[in-house]
Coordinates of all heavy atoms in Angstrom, one line a residue:
Q33 N 23.0 21.5 -14.4 CA 22.9 20.1 -14.6 C 21.6 19.7 -15.4 O 20.8 20.6 -15.7 CB 22.9 19.4 -13.2 CG 21.8 19.8 -12.3 CD 22.1 19.5 -10.8 OE1 22.5 20.3 -10.0 NE2 22.0 18.2 -10.5
N34 N 21.5 18.4 -15.6 CA 20.4 17.9 -16.4 C 19.1 18.2 -15.6 O 19.0 18.2 -14.4 CB 20.4 16.4 -16.5 CG 21.4 16.0 -17.6 OD1 22.0 16.8 -18.3 ND2 21.6 14.6 -17.7
L35 N 18.1 18.6 -16.4 CA 16.7 18.8 -15.8 C 15.7 18.1 -16.8 O 15.8 18.4 -18.0 CB 16.4 20.3 -15.7 CG 15.0 20.6 -15.2 CD1 14.8 20.2 -13.8 CD2 14.8 22.1 -15.4
V45 N 15.2 16.0 -21.7 CA 16.3 16.4 -20.7 C 16.9 17.6 -21.3 O 17.4 17.7 -22.4 CB 17.3 15.2 -20.6 CG1 18.4 15.7 -19.7 CG2 16.6 14.0 -20.0
I46 N 16.9 18.7 -20.5 CA 17.6 19.9 -20.9 C 18.7 20.2 -19.9 O 18.8 19.6 -18.8 CB 16.7 21.1 -21.0 CG1 16.1 21.4 -19.6 CG2 15.6 20.9 -22.0 CD1 15.4 22.8 -19.5
T47 N 19.6 21.2 -20.2 CA 20.6 21.6 -19.3 C 20.1 22.9 -18.6 O 19.7 23.8 -19.4 CB 21.9 21.9 -20.0 OG1 22.3 20.7 -20.7 CG2 23.0 22.3 -19.0
L73 N 27.9 20.6 -13.6 CA 27.5 19.2 -13.3 C 26.8 18.6 -14.5 O 26.2 17.5 -14.5 CB 26.6 19.1 -12.1 CG 27.1 19.8 -10.8 CD1 26.0 19.9 -9.8 CD2 28.3 19.2 -10.3
S74 N 26.9 19.3 -15.7 CA 26.3 18.8 -16.9 C 27.3 18.1 -17.7 O 28.5 18.1 -17.4 CB 25.8 20.1 -17.7 OG 26.9 20.6 -18.5
P75 N 26.9 17.3 -18.7 CA 27.9 16.6 -19.5 C 28.6 17.4 -20.6 O 29.3 16.9 -21.4 CB 27.0 15.5 -20.2 CG 25.6 15.9 -20.1 CD 25.5 17.0 -19.1
Y76 N 28.3 18.8 -20.6 CA 28.8 19.6 -21.7 C 29.8 20.7 -21.2 O 29.7 21.1 -20.0 CB 27.7 20.3 -22.4 CG 26.6 19.4 -22.8 CD1 25.4 19.4 -22.1 CD2 26.8 18.5 -23.8 CE1 24.4 18.5 -22.5 CE2 25.8 17.6 -24.2 CZ 24.6 17.6 -23.5 OH 23.6 16.7 -23.8
Ligands
NAG2 C1 22.3 14.2 -18.9 O1 21.6 14.2 -20.1 C2 22.4 13.7 -21.2 C3 21.6 13.9 -22.4 O2 20.3 13.4 -22.3 C4 22.8 12.3 -20.9 O3 23.6 11.8 -22.0 C5 23.5 12.1 -19.6 O4 23.8 10.8 -19.3 C6 22.8 12.8 -18.5 N1 23.6 12.8 -17.3 C7 23.2 12.5 -16.1 C8 24.2 12.6 -15.0 O5 22.0 12.2 -15.9

Side-chain angles (χ1 to χ4, degrees):
Q33 59 198 105
N34 282 358
L35 173 70
V45 178
I46 61 164
T47 305
L73 310 171
S74 84
Y76 311 107

